[in-house]
Amino acid sequence: MRLIKEHFKVNFYLRPRPDSDGRCPIFIRSRQNSTRQIVKFTGLKASPKEWDKKRGCFKHNYEANTELNSFAETLRQAYQDILAEGWEASLELIWQVVRRPGYLANPDGDSVLEWCDRYLANTKDSRGKRKAVATVKTNVKDWNSKLRFSGLTTGNLTRFVDWLNDRGVSNNTVYKRIRALMYVATYAGQYVTVNPDLFRYDFPYSTRNGSVARLAYSEVQKIINTDAKGTELVARDVFTIACFTGLRISDILTIGEAELHEFHLDKFQEKTGETVSVTLHVHNEELVRRYHAIGITYNRQSLSYALKAVLKRANLTAETVKRIDRGSQTIKVTEPKYKLISFHSGRRFYARLLNDLGLGMEIARDELGHTASNVTEHYAGSPDHRMRIIRVREAMRNMDKKMEEIALMKIA
């Protein structure tokens, strides 16, 4: 593979073919990233007497040299634009770019990496957004460190998606990377022109979550009743809070910062930047009040490791199929159920439990702090099959009575 040069070298020379005024055309030539010498007319002219052949510029004409330097800078910036879009730039390709109607070299300023740094240094967005930006910054650095927003065309975005898929990243996670680029672009858009393709991008693959391991109430009770101490005890308590409040792990770890009231807890959500009001009830109040008072000193990683040990002792070892969407492929792997359960599984359990108890999606949505009901519906999934059986049997027992009432109703 040929090494692509990082910067474009501009060489001007005067062709000795004077016009009727004795002025000769100024040309540019380059062999950079090309197998042959490419020559182009700049559209500028100079008298041989005022041209410095050795330096390739005008001798004592500041204004003319300014125009020449401006043209050279346009070529250099066009070169960077082409590199940012993933092409092997040569003078031939640069010429096609700068001759486009309305072309403006380097419309978006610095690289995406530099804008990521500015976003992380200057914004006060939620911890979740900032973490996503830090992650996509690493991805972009590995994929194309010179990438600028002008390079985020539809084609390049799809190539970026495929590049991540090839490295084992699932579609749903890749989609979050694209959203993180939008966060940075929104910030950068206050200062530069951002390629609109990013905000119009239609993700080429399914972004549904892989199949998740759903917990039954009996399984949650097993986990709660499993003996634990030290870090494992805290992990078990945090998981129980997640199961009966629907709070994210990031919000539970900062539960001491929440506003505690007599019947509810107001918690600022790290991910969304919005406040959610969570009901206190018999299954969560004691733990919520305790950890609100003492706080949680463990980090997420250590608690996650400890939780796995508790789940394994709770005998959640049944083989479970996990589906992963990666590009256009669906990969299925079989693992013990405890490996597929996380603190977020508790949040999903709470959504399903509220739905099973007949409280409906609107209440579940507000308890979990979702902005859209369809997200809550995905979290809740179908009712626990035993709850479904009980409700269907009860409905069938009362069916004849209901049908008689319908028949007796007078329709106006």
Side-chain angles (χ1 to χ4, degrees):
M1 182 178 177
R2 185 166 70 252
L3 180 65
I4 304 301
K5 294 181 179 178
E6 187 170 342
H7 301 288
F8 182 66
K9 189 175 180 181
V10 181
N11 293 310
F12 294 106
Y13 74 98
L14 204 64
R15 180 170 285 187
R17 292 181 182 176
D19 58 15
S20 58
D21 296 330
R23 295 169 63 80
C24 299
I26 301 174
F27 279 74
I28 181 173
R29 58 188 165 195
S30 173
R31 195 186 293 275
Q32 188 161 328
N33 303 332
S34 176
T35 57
R36 62 188 178 87
Q37 182 90 293
I38 300 172
V39 178
K40 296 291 180 182
F41 174 45
T42 64
L44 303 173
K45 292 185 178 182
S47 167
K49 292 182 180 180
E50 62 179 351
W51 185 255
D52 187 331
K53 186 176 179 180
K54 186 176 180 179
R55 296 171 59 196
C57 64
F58 291 89
K59 291 180 179 177
H60 306 292
N61 191 331
Y62 176 80
E63 186 176 339
N65 271 333
T66 299
E67 185 178 5
L68 197 65
N69 290 335
S70 177
F71 182 76
E73 184 60 25
T74 298
L75 295 175
R76 293 190 189 97
Q77 295 296 344
Y79 182 78
Q80 294 300 322
D81 284 344
I82 294 168
L83 289 185
E85 293 182 17
W87 301 99
E88 294 185 9
S90 65
L91 178 57
E92 190 70 58
L93 193 53
I94 291 172
W95 211 256
Q96 294 177 26
V97 171
V98 298
R99 293 306 183 192
R100 290 175 189 166
Y103 173 73
L104 175 64
N106 192 24
D108 58 343
D110 299 319
S111 69
V112 171
L113 291 181
E114 290 171 306
W115 280 114
C116 284
D117 287 335
R118 288 178 187 150
Y119 172 91
L120 294 171
N122 300 318
T123 64
K124 296 182 179 180
D125 282 350
S126 67
R127 185 181 300 175
K129 285 185 176 181
R130 293 169 60 80
K131 181 180 178 182
V133 169
T135 302
V136 81
K137 176 190 168 186
T138 302
N139 297 146
V140 170
K141 183 178 180 180
D142 292 340
W143 183 60
N144 184 353
S145 61
K146 297 182 181 303
L147 183 70
R148 293 203 300 274
F149 285 114
S150 58
L152 290 175
T153 59
T154 299
N156 250 357
L157 285 166
T158 299
R159 283 188 283 272
F160 181 52
V161 168
D162 291 339
W163 181 84
L164 289 170
N165 284 151
D166 289 342
R167 279 151 184 77
V169 183
S170 67
N171 291 347
N172 192 53
T173 304
V174 173
Y175 180 62
K176 292 177 182 177
R177 303 287 192 272
I178 301 297
R179 285 195 307 184
L181 286 175
M182 292 181 186
Y183 302 151
V184 181
T186 300
Y187 169 72
Q190 302 173 57
Y191 311 99
V192 298
T193 302
V194 176
N195 193 329
D197 281 8
L198 174 61
F199 295 92
R200 293 196 300 253
Y201 185 62
D202 186 14
F203 199 80
Y205 306 116
S206 168
T207 57
R208 62 184 179 178
N209 285 321
S211 51
V212 293
R214 299 198 180 275
L215 289 163
Y217 181 75
S218 58
E219 291 174 321
V220 171
Q221 287 300 111
K222 277 185 181 180
I223 297 167
I224 293 173
N225 294 327
T226 299
D227 290 335
K229 59 183 179 180
T231 309
E232 291 182 3
L233 175 62
V234 178
R236 189 194 67 183
D237 288 347
V238 168
F239 184 73
T240 304
I241 292 173
C243 286
F244 292 103
T245 64
L247 287 172
R248 298 179 182 86
I249 177 62
S250 57
D251 296 327
I252 298 175
L253 293 179
T254 55
I255 198 169
E257 301 171 7
E259 291 185 23
L260 186 61
H261 304 279
E262 185 177 0
F263 300 117
H264 71 281
L265 178 85
D266 285 333
K267 182 67 181 75
F268 176 81
Q269 298 176 101
E270 297 287 344
K271 180 177 181 179
T272 65
E274 302 289 337
T275 299
V276 60
S277 293
V278 179
T279 304
L280 298 179
H281 51 73
V282 65
H283 290 286
N284 69 22
E285 185 169 5
E286 190 274 331
L287 284 176
V288 168
R289 291 190 181 279
R290 183 200 310 170
Y291 284 101
H292 180 268
I294 66 175
I296 298 173
T297 57
Y298 296 96
N299 61 38
R300 180 175 182 168
Q301 188 175 27
S302 61
L303 290 177
S304 294
Y305 283 131
L307 178 64
K308 294 298 180 187
V310 175
L311 295 172
K312 191 173 182 179
R313 288 206 306 277
N315 293 321
L316 272 69
T317 55
E319 292 295 308
T320 306
V321 176
K322 179 181 181 181
R323 187 194 74 244
I324 304 171
D325 290 328
R326 193 175 296 156
S328 56
Q329 295 182 327
T330 297
I331 302 166
K332 292 184 178 180
V333 294
T334 302
E335 292 186 295
K337 188 169 185 176
Y338 75 87
K339 288 190 175 183
L340 306 181
I341 295 172
S342 64
F343 289 110
H344 209 73
S345 302
R347 182 169 166 82
R348 294 178 185 277
F349 168 78
Y350 193 54
R352 190 181 194 185
L353 180 64
L354 294 175
N355 189 40
D356 283 349
L357 294 174
L359 296 176
M361 287 298 170
E362 293 300 316
I363 288 180
R365 182 197 68 186
D366 292 343
E367 283 285 306
L368 270 66
H370 283 149
T371 55
S373 295
N374 63 331
V375 180
T376 313
E377 289 171 6
H378 176 77
Y379 272 44
S382 59
D384 186 305
H385 70 284
R386 289 164 296 185
M387 182 68 76
R388 171 174 54 81
I389 290 169
I390 290 172
R391 291 172 69 176
V392 171
R393 283 171 59 85
E394 182 180 359
M396 288 301 169
R397 278 198 301 268
N398 297 326
M399 182 182 66
D400 290 339
K401 181 179 179 181
K402 289 183 180 294
M403 290 303 177
E404 289 176 6
E405 290 177 358
I406 291 173
L408 291 172
M409 287 179 65
K410 294 182 179 179
I411 301 176

